[in-house]
C-alpha cells in the first residue's frame, strides 16, 4: 500500500496532480482543497488512497493526513464512493464539512452534487461520533486563496475541472462565465466551488 508520494509537482489542474518520484509520474485525483494547498509549489508530499477496481487502479492524493482521514470516513458511508467523496471535499473544506456534520446541518451537505437528503442524513448519523473522536474539525484551518486577475485561463481551468468531475462543458461554461462576471477577481478554486453549488 502506498502511504504518500513525495516528489516534483510536474502537472497540476484543479482535479488532478502529477507528482514525479524516482522517474515515475504518479497521476492523482485531487480535491479543490488539495489544489489550493499545493498550487505554486515545486516539491510536494501527497498522502495517497488507492482505489483498486477490476477495470482501473486509481490514486487519490491529499495535501494533509486529516483530509485523507475525512475522505476515508466519507467512503465508509453507504452510497458514497471515492468520486462522490472527492466532490464533497471539493465543495467544502474538511473543517466546514465537520461543522455541518457535528451540527446536523443536512441542508448544507445536500447542496453538494450527487448528495441527496438520505445520503446527507446517513453522513451525519454515521460520522458524527467518528469526527469528534478524531478531532478533525479543530485541526484544519479554512485557508485563504490567492486572487487572480480575470482571464481566459481561469475560465478554461474551471470549465476543464468541472468537465473532469463529470459535468457537461456547455452548462459548466455558462455558469463559470456568470460567476466571473459577478466575481471578476475570483480564483479558479473559488469559481469551481461556486459552480458546484449552482450546477444541478
Amino acid at each position: 500500500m502506498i502511504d504518500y508520494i513525495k516528489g516534483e509537482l510536474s502537472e497540476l489542474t484543479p482535479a488532478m496532480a502529477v507528482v514525479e518520484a524516482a522517474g515515475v509520474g504518479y497521476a492523482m485525483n485531487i480535491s479543490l482543497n488539495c489544489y489550493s494547498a499545493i498550487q505554486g509549489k515545486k516539491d510536494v508530499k501527497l498522502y495517497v488512497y488507492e482505489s483498486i477496481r477490476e477495470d482501473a487502479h486509481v490514486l487519490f492524493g491529499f495535501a494533509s493526513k486529516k483530509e485523507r482521514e475525512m475522505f476515508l470516513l466519507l467512503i465508509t458511508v453507504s452510497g458514497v464512493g471515492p468520486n462522490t467523496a472527492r466532490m464533497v471535499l471539493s465543495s467544502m473544506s474538511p473543517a466546514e464539512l465537520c461543522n455541518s456534520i457535528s451540527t446536523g446541518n443536512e441542508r448544507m451537505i445536500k447542496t453538494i452534487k450527487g448528495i441527496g437528503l438520505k445520503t446527507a442524513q446517513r453522513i451525519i448519523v454515521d460520522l458524527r461520533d467518528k469526527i469528534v473522536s478524531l478531532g478533525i474539525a479543530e485541526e484544519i484551518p479554512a485557508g485563504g486563496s490567492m486572487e487572480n486577475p480575470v482571464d481566459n485561463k481561469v475560465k478554461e481551468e474551471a470549465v476543464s475541472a468541472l468537465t473532469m468531475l463529470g459535468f457537461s462543458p456547455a452548462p459548466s461554461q455558462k455558469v463559470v462565465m456568470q460567476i466571473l462576471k459577478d466575481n471578476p477577481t475570483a480564483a479558479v478554486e473559488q469559481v469551481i466551488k461556486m459552480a458546484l453549488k449552482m450546477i444541478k
Side-chain angles (χ1 to χ4, degrees), residues 3 20 29 35 52 59 67:
D3 184 48
E20 187 181 327
N29 288 314
Y35 173 77
I52 300 168
L59 297 178
E67 189 187 13

Side-chain angles (χ1 to χ4, degrees), residues 148-165:
N148 294 340
V150 172
D151 57 21
N152 278 333
K153 192 164 177 276
V154 174
K155 184 190 84 180
E156 282 164 21
E157 278 192 33
V159 173
S160 160
L162 290 163
T163 307
M164 284 174 83
L165 287 168

Side-chain angles (χ1 to χ4, degrees), residues 2 11 31 75 88 143 149 186:
I2 301 171
E11 210 175 300
S31 71
I75 61 175
V88 172

Side-chain angles (χ1 to χ4, degrees), residues 52-117:
I52 300 168
R53 304 194 311 261
E54 278 181 33
D55 59 338
H57 186 154
V58 184
L59 297 178
F60 290 83
F62 307 93
S64 69
K65 276 189 172 180
K66 288 294 172 191
E67 189 187 13
R68 181 173 65 180
E69 279 175 27
M70 199 69 234
F71 177 88
L72 292 173
L73 284 177
L74 282 166
I75 61 175
T76 64
V77 178
S78 171
V80 179
N83 282 320
T84 303
R86 177 172 71 149
M87 184 75 77
V88 172
L89 289 169
S90 290
S91 303
M92 303 168 95
S93 72
E96 288 168 339
L97 179 58
C98 285
N99 189 36
S100 295
I101 293 169
S102 60
T103 57
N105 191 345
E106 60 194 38
R107 223 176 49 216
M108 180 66 111
I109 298 171
K110 199 166 72 74
T111 62
I112 300 163
K113 180 185 161 52
I115 302 285
L117 180 60

Side-chain angles (χ1 to χ4, degrees), residues 4-22:
Y4 64 83
I5 294 171
K6 189 177 180 181
E8 187 179 331
L9 185 62
S10 58
E11 210 175 300
L12 179 66
T13 72
M16 182 169 281
V18 178
V19 179
E20 187 181 327

